[in-house]
Amino acid sequence: LEGGRSGVGRARAIAGAKVTIRDVARMAEVSVATVSRALNESSTVSVETRNHVLRIAGELDFVPHAGARSLSLRRTDTIGVLLPDLHGEYFSELIRGLDLGARGNGQHLLLSALHGDIGEAIAALRTMRSRVDGLVVMSPFAQSELLAEAVNGAIPLVRLNSRDSSRSASCFAIDNYLGAFEIAQHLIAWGHSRIAFVAGPADNLDARDRLRGFKDAHARAGQAAGPVLAGDFREESGFAAAARLLEAGLPDAIFAANDAMAIGCLQALKYAGVAVPAEVALAGFDDIPMARLVDPPLTTARVPIAEIGRLAVECCVELVRGRVITPGCRLFAPELLIRASSGANQGQAAPPRTRMRGRS
Amino acid sequence: LEGGRSGVGRARAIAGAKVTIRDVARMAEVSVATVSRALNESSTVSVETRNHVLRIAGELDFVPHAGARSLSLRRTDTIGVLLPDLHGEYFSELIRGLDLGARGNGQHLLLSALHGDIGEAIAALRTMRSRVDGLVVMSPFAQSELLAEAVNGAIPLVRLNSRDSSRSASCFAIDNYLGAFEIAQHLIAWGHSRIAFVAGPADNLDARDRLRGFKDAHARAGQAAGPVLAGDFREESGFAAAARLLEAGLPDAIFAANDAMAIGCLQALKYAGVAVPAEVALAGFDDIPMARLVDPPLTTARVPIAEIGRLAVECCVELVRGRVITPGCRLFAPELLIRASSGANQGQAAPPRTRMRGRS
DNA sequence: TTGTAAGCGTTATCAG
DNA sequence: CTGATAACGCTTACAA
């Protein structure tokens, strides 16, 4: 009677029918408790029993049911990630960082990318809530407070790139204000007296901070800020903005709130036969890979997005594990990358005080 | 006694303590079965009870425990995705498509990226197996048969971009062979008689197929294929390959197995003062967004990667739901995009038979 | 239409 | 060191 079991077990494994811990227990001729202990490295199992059980489990190709496990353990070992509609290298680098942080801590990643409004985000958050131990949320929405509310304190929440004054949240963000301030300062230092700004979406927090940095750098320098043009972070809107400037009269420099729009500007300028940086200097933000490949290479601010993603997940895991972390926003300073598009001579130590310009 | 319950429930919701279906039942003064039925739109519940229950559940901010649900329902409503170490726009577009396919079918996406070797991938597959209803796996490994084995038929498996002769698997892939064949044919038709090929990683199936296409196009044309240089799909390796060609003597044209490497080539050629396409024509593969922005814009083959991702997930969901799908590989033909880098005059109907060249 | 109760697969407590 | 057994939260026959 007992002899037949091995055959049954093997058949099971081959057929792919779900094999449970009871099957393993039966085959190994021990109790389910012992199997559980052996599988979970509990020390209260004799070495030989453990090995025996492990061998049988392997033969049966046993994989514990995650749902049952989470029911019993009250944890899922997965972190949920909610991201806005991101593009290109920025998105893939972010995910790379998130994945790194998760797998490094034995966590799975439940991903949800959003293609829409905040209502959709809240709905997504609700359905994720019961499947994850913690959440990492990146929301460009100004009303992102609502998101934290949706989670309702049920599980830890870490925010990405949404600096806000929320009392209790942990948050990892790029210092958009500082980066924009520095770029504007750089342009001003190089003698550009009329600098136009191509803004991002009005309801986007990153975009707002970059605009503030742009303006404050001018205020600090005691110089009037140039015109601010509307944009939406996409290349096309940069192209359109430059086209408007070409019509209204070119400034000395254009600072676009991200690289994609800066590249759009560059295209429009090239098309119109305007030399960059000789006639108009140009700068962007983000340092997407294309930035150094365009001609001329783009002056910009690099944001360590993968690193931030990794840290955010790690912080989330810590919170899940009950570590008390003082809440607050950790800001990461972007790195100013001066390339040819801003007209700065990289070999030269100090910027010129004034600058001769070909056009008035 | 009963009067106090409402207060307790509200306190619970505020505190964020896990509220279960029993709490809802108690508050609504019905049985858990009724709550379950109300929440799951079962028709066997009176409209008023349903509304009542729904209201209470809302007040309590109740979210069903996914683990318990999956235990009972024997499904998780999530699809697992296993991806290799991908970069840039290709990666983000793919994820966009996968996400679209998942959310469109009410599924969650469990993502696992960055798999160096196949052992790692197999381990990841094992731990995912119990948390998902189906898997979409993209493996560039030639030995990817092992992956299917790891799943052992426990759940449906759909492969991405790994064309193989596996009897039972469903698979969605780009016709790399065809795309490469057409690009090579295009270069040949435009009179380039010596065409170098910058290959991808030797163990990468996509790369192999592209090389085959390149060679077969030459065979078909009765023309000897130019030198094949090693590469690894990264920009740097394209740069290095072009550097080697500059030293050994330039061909008439260079066909890189992907756009990233083609752009690397372009950089090296520019750096050396070689005019593209006047002195050397150039073509890539993938149509990453940068391809049309470099100067000159890159001739390449566009692969509908987001679309493929979406379809793969949808197919997987169908399989999970028990739809019988005839297995096999669905190949998607890339779209040949002729731009300036290959020297073809787009306004011109037919390619020239022979071509005058500035260099021997 | 509603309630009762038996699973679903694990882990953990408590005896042995 | 090992074995019963009671949770864990939900769905679903089966009864009423």
Side-chain angles (χ1 to χ4, degrees), chain A residues 80 89 112 118 174 176 191 209 228 242 254 272 274 280 282 290 310 322:
Chain A
E89 198 80 12
S112 184
I118 197 163
I174 289 153
N176 290 293
D209 284 345
V228 173
I254 302 174
V274 175
V280 182
L282 186 63
M290 217 183 297
R310 190 178 61 74

Side-chain angles (χ1 to χ4, degrees), chain B residues 21 36 40 62 64-65 69 72:
Chain B
I21 199 173
S36 174
N40 292 292
F62 169 68
H65 189 292
R69 204 134 193 284
S72 188

